[in-house]
Every structure is written in structure tokens, then in C-alpha cells.
Amino acid sequence: MSAVMEVRTAAKGSPSSGPQGSRRARLIGRRAVHPAGVAALTALIAAIYATYSLTLFNTFRSTAWDLVIFDQAVRSYAHFHPGISIIKGVHNGFGPQFSALGDHFSPILAALAPLYWAWNGPQTLLVAQAVLFALAIPPLWVFTRRALGDGRKATAAAYLIGVAYGLSWPLAAAAAFDFHEVAFAPVLTAIALERFQAGRLRPALAALAFLLLVKEDMGLLVAGIGCYLAVSLPPVVRRQRIVGVSLIVAGVAYTALATYLLIPAFGGRSDYYWAYGSLGRDVPQATWHLIRHPLSSLRMLVTPGVKLTTIAWLLIILGFLPLLSPIALAVIPLLAERMLNSKFPNWWLLHFQYNAYLVVPLTCAAVDGAARLDRWAASAGRHLARRRKPGAAPAGQAAGEAAARPPGVTPGRAAPRAALLGTGTVALACAVVICGLTLASVPRFQLGDALHARFYEQTARTRAAAAADAVVPSGVQVEAVNTLGSQLSGRDTVLLWDGEHPPAGSPWVVADVREKQFTFGSVRAQRRRVALLRRTGYRAVFERDGYIVLHRAARRAAPPGQPGTG
């Protein structure tokens, strides 16, 4: 809401000249343009990601792991239960009544529960994520326009930054991997940073409080924002140093509280995602290792090379401008959490959802870096103009002329150059570069697939997948291959067809014996599993293009799960 009001205020604030009637007409036009323009850009980005995600879903390129995990959890919230995800609990050995809060502490997901009263299926999550990603654009637009001076060039730059954020590869990578709690992070981070910039401490702290509910490690992002506030000059809020230090302490304390108290309280394990065995068995040991071996620890941040590649791409699309801003400090704790890990290589990659947590603070840092570069260029231009001036005017005359001149304009032949450098042109050029780099990178990353017609096509394989799912009746428990479970989740209780554990005994199984699937080591292992099922009483009721649907009458009670919608 604050961003919307700021957009409207920005639209009203531009000066006009001329006769009263034309001035009033121009003012009315300006009032309408920016809210409508920002809203149109927001809606466009939401539509792009919704179309992209739903196409992946409809062509069986979404995955039960992780989409069904979140679908079951949010459906549980919609029935006023504590986020139960049977697929997660059974596969990871926590049991069928496992709450997703015991995996990652993300209570903010309950906010999506009312949407399931209107449409009860994973598609709801995909569309909601697209909208949430896009909703970061209005506060980013306001942040950029204010940072660059509120003029026409600043306004143009704000739109360019909105496009660059909306089409950035971290968002595309997150959308390509179904739905995750990261959906809430960009908009909340953008609101917090914009409100800090505006000097509005309470709304900024409120946004950070909601950000903590996104995931247990969001305390590290809050601590990173605290680092930025603790060192940046000039201050943007009252008692900024105290606020910054308080956020550092509160963020770290919250992450510890959520990890070691709240997650175990919901049936999880505090050490489940401990990925720092090369540093120590726990936080104190790892911290002591970092202190004793700082150089080797720094090498861990960039080796193997895939880590450096990810960090480089985060900076490349922003023209390395975040390196000029203290706002970039906000991402260091989250980056360190990922890059120091030695257990989960997926955390290091360009793929998946992890980089979407960083895109807003880095974008704001790039905007701040562009503003600083513009000011430095203006200062250099004025200094150059003074040095080139052929003669010096008397002190009183020079002071009077300086007071009468607009900011950034210096007398003499160098005046036009100084004015050019002092009116936001450099910052606008930076925004053009950022937008250009982002657009150039789109074909290289996941969103580039949507530029080709074949992305939207149904194939014989996808038609066979749809036919296989259609054989499974509604309201049953089914073990489904990873690529077919999502489409069943809205009407059935879905477990993973799991190569790491014995069969769960579900009356229905949807298998694949043509392409290697998640949790299986090979297609041969999948065929062996199907053969085992046949020997234990299952019969095939559907076979096409490698998909096999097996069914048998229940011989024992299946794990209690969530009822299907019927």
C-alpha cells in the first residue's frame, strides 16, 4: 500500500508550466500515467510467470518434489490443520502426520490457505508465486525513482529497473522449480528497503518481521540488512546505528530460535540441514574454524568454480554496480550460508530458488551504486569545469552566480558537460545497461525456453502422462512418479514413487520405466521395482510410452494421510 501511495505521489509531484488549462490537463495526465504504468508492468510480469509456470505444469515438467509438499501443506492450513505434508514425512522418515513446519519454519504459507477455498490445487500456488514476485515491482520503482532524484530520467530508470528485476534469471530459476516459500521474500524485502530509504522505520521493521516468517534463515537476511544500516552514510532513519546493530542481533537470534526450538517442536530435527561438516559438528566449532582459518574459509566461498560462477552472474546482470553500495552487505550472510556448505551442491548453483532471495537487495544495491556513480561523475564534471575556466570572477560575484545557477551547471564552455553529468544521465545510462544485460541474459536461462513454440507443445509423451493420471480415480492414495504426482495432488493423497524406500502399499502406483526418475539410480532399477510390484499383487491397468499405472486392492492399512478432494 505504501508503494502505491508513493507512486501516486510521484505522479503528482512533477512541475508543469504554461497556461492554467494546459497545466491542469498535463497534471491530470501525469497523475494517471505512473500508477497505470507501474500497475501494467506488474501485471505483465505476473502474467509472464503465471503462464510460464502453468505451462510447465500442464506439460508435466513440474515435480511432486517439491510442489506437492507445499500443496499438501497449504491444503492442510486451509482445513485448519498444522501444515501436514504426507509426501515429505513419509519420504524423509518423519511419518505421515509430519508438519512442513518441522522441515522449514515457514508459517507465512498459511496466508495462502484462503486461496484454496476458491481453487484447491497446485496451480493456485504457481499463480500466487507469479503475483508475489511481480508485487515487488512497485516498491522497487519507488526506491529507484527516489534514489535517482525524482525527475524524468529517474522515472525512466525506475521503469527499466522494474523490467530488469521482473525478467531477471534468479526469478526465472525459481519459477522453473515449481513453488517455494521464496515467493514472499522479494516483495517483503523490497518494501523494507524502500521504507528504510523513505525514513519510515516502523513500516520497514514490520516488513522485516513478516520476512522472518518466510523461512528460518531469513534472520540472516535481516542481519545482513542490519549490517548495511550500521555502516551506511548518510543515515536514512533515526538512530540508524542502533537500529542496524539491533537487527543483526535479532536476526541471528531468530534463526537460532527457529532452528533449534521451533523446528524440533513441529517434529523436525535441528541438524537436518547442517551442511558444514568440513567446518565442524556445530555452530561453535564452525565459527572457531572460520576464525582460525580465514584464508582457507575464504577459498571455500569460491571453490569449486560453480560457486564463483553463481556469484559472478548475480553481479553481471547488474553491471557489478552492487559493489559500489553498502546495501550489498545485506546478501553476504545468506551467500555465506550457501557457499560454505559442503553437503548440498544444489545450494551453489544458478538453478533452483535460492538466488531469488538475493535479487531484490542486489537490485537496490545496483540502484544505489548507480546514484553514487552519478554523483561522483557530477562532482568530477564540476571540478573539471572549474579547472578549465579561463579566469576567476570576484568572490561576491561568483557566489551570486553560483546561487542563481541550477544544480550541476558550471559556467564556461564546460557547463553543458557538467549539467549532463549532474542531472541523472549517468544513472539513467546505468539503468539502460542493467536492463540490457538482463534482456540479453534471458535466452541463456530458464525463461528463454518460453521464447520457443515447442515450449508450449504437447507431445506423445505428455499425452500419455495425462492419460495415465486420468486412470487413477479421485480420493485415493497413490504413489506417483515425480513428474506425474503434481497433477494428481489436487484430488488424491500423493506419495512419492520412491526408489530409496520399500513400496508404501498404496492401492495405486503410477510408474515410469522409460526415463530415469528422482530417487531411483537408473531406469533398470525402476523396472525392477515395477516387477516387484507385479509379484506382490499389483496388476497393470494402463501402459503407454513408458508410463505404467498399477492397481491392487488394499491388503493393509495405508499410512493415514490427507483425504483427496473427491
Side-chain angles (χ1 to χ4, degrees), residues 263-476:
I263 285 177
F266 284 93
R269 296 204 321 261
S270 60
D271 62 346
Y272 190 80
Y273 289 104
W274 180 256
Y276 312 96
S278 58
L279 300 178
R281 292 191 303 270
D282 51 31
V283 172
Q285 283 192 5
T287 303
W288 181 239
H289 183 280
L290 294 174
I291 294 172
R292 290 184 59 196
H293 307 286
L295 294 181
S296 63
S297 300
L298 286 174
R299 282 196 297 271
M300 285 184 64
L301 290 172
V302 293
T303 54
V306 65
K307 298 179 182 179
L308 187 59
T309 299
T310 297
I311 295 171
W313 270 107
L314 286 168
L315 296 173
I316 286 171
I317 60 167
L318 296 170
F320 292 93
L321 288 168
L323 299 179
L324 302 178
S325 171
I327 300 177
L329 293 173
V331 307
I332 290 179
L334 276 183
L335 264 181
E337 177 197 29
R338 290 170 54 197
M339 300 307 173
L340 290 175
N341 110 81
S342 55
K343 183 178 179 181
F344 302 112
N346 285 351
W347 293 8
W348 308 333
L349 302 180
L350 295 166
H351 307 293
F352 307 112
Q353 75 277 16
Y354 306 109
N355 296 294
Y357 291 103
L358 310 177
V359 63
V360 163
L362 285 175
T363 300
C364 291
V367 170
D368 184 55
R372 291 168 183 268
L373 194 62
D374 190 79
R375 292 195 296 270
W376 297 338
S379 177
R382 289 190 293 268
H383 178 71
L384 181 62
R386 286 194 297 268
R387 292 191 61 180
R388 289 184 176 180
K389 188 171 63 173
Q397 178 183 347
E401 290 175 354
R405 287 193 302 271
V409 177
T410 307
R413 286 176 295 178
R417 176 178 177 84
L420 178 71
L421 295 173
T423 56
T425 300
V426 171
L428 177 58
C430 289
V432 171
V433 169
I434 290 172
C435 191
L437 289 171
T438 299
L439 293 175
S441 71
V442 167
R444 187 185 190 282
F445 292 96
Q446 290 86 344
L447 202 58
D449 294 339
L451 302 177
H452 305 283
R454 63 179 180 273
F455 175 75
Y456 306 92
E457 293 175 353
Q458 295 285 349
T459 65
R461 176 85 166 158
T462 60
R463 287 190 288 270
D469 275 355
V471 171
V472 180
S474 298
V476 301

Side-chain angles (χ1 to χ4, degrees), residues 77-133:
Y77 288 130
H79 289 85
F80 304 102
H81 297 147
I84 303 300
S85 178
I86 185 174
I87 190 173
K88 179 72 177 178
V90 170
H91 175 69
N92 287 144
F94 292 109
Q97 293 299 320
F98 180 67
S99 170
L101 293 171
D103 181 43
H104 291 299
F105 192 72
S106 305
I108 201 167
L109 293 174
L112 299 176
L115 300 179
Y116 269 57
W117 303 338
W119 185 272
N120 184 13
Q123 304 96 315
T124 300
L125 298 181
L126 300 177
V127 174
Q129 178 173 257
V131 173
L132 286 167
F133 280 165

Side-chain angles (χ1 to χ4, degrees), residues 46-226:
I48 288 173
Y49 282 112
T51 302
Y52 177 76
S53 297
L54 291 175
T55 300
L56 292 176
F57 182 87
N58 292 329
T59 53
F60 295 88
R61 282 173 283 183
S62 59
T63 56
W65 199 270
D66 294 341
L67 182 55
V68 173
I69 296 174
F70 290 100
D71 177 57
Q72 291 177 345
V74 177
R75 181 176 296 108
S76 175
Y77 288 130
H79 289 85
F80 304 102
H81 297 147
I84 303 300
S85 178
I86 185 174
I87 190 173
K88 179 72 177 178
V90 170
H91 175 69
N92 287 144
F94 292 109
Q97 293 299 320
F98 180 67
S99 170
L101 293 171
D103 181 43
H104 291 299
F105 192 72
S106 305
I108 201 167
L109 293 174
L112 299 176
L115 300 179
Y116 269 57
W117 303 338
W119 185 272
N120 184 13
Q123 304 96 315
T124 300
L125 298 181
L126 300 177
V127 174
Q129 178 173 257
V131 173
L132 286 167
F133 280 165
L135 285 177
I137 290 175
L140 273 178
W141 188 92
V142 174
F143 180 97
T144 302
R145 193 176 189 274
R146 184 187 295 121
L148 303 185
D150 291 328
R152 290 185 176 180
K153 293 175 183 177
T155 301
Y159 282 109
L160 291 170
I161 293 298
V163 172
Y165 158 78
L167 299 179
S168 62
W169 68 261
L171 292 190
F177 190 31
D178 307 318
F179 171 90
H180 289 84
E181 63 281 304
V182 70
F184 290 91
V187 61
L188 292 172
T189 308
I191 291 171
L193 292 175
E194 186 276 323
R195 291 291 80 191
F196 276 126
Q197 182 201 50
R200 301 292 301 277
L201 179 60
R202 289 183 180 179
L205 294 179
L208 292 183
F210 282 108
L211 182 63
L212 292 175
L213 303 180
V214 171
K215 197 179 176 188
E216 67 276 2
D217 63 353
M218 286 299 94
L220 301 180
L221 181 53
V222 170
I225 292 173

Side-chain angles (χ1 to χ4, degrees), residues 14-55:
S14 303
S16 57
S17 59
Q20 186 67 24
S22 61
R23 176 181 180 182
R24 181 176 300 174
R26 286 194 299 270
L27 183 57
I28 292 173
R30 289 192 185 106
R31 287 178 180 177
V33 165
H34 293 314
V38 174
L41 178 58
T42 302
L44 176 62
I45 296 300
I48 288 173
Y49 282 112
T51 302
Y52 177 76
S53 297
L54 291 175
T55 300

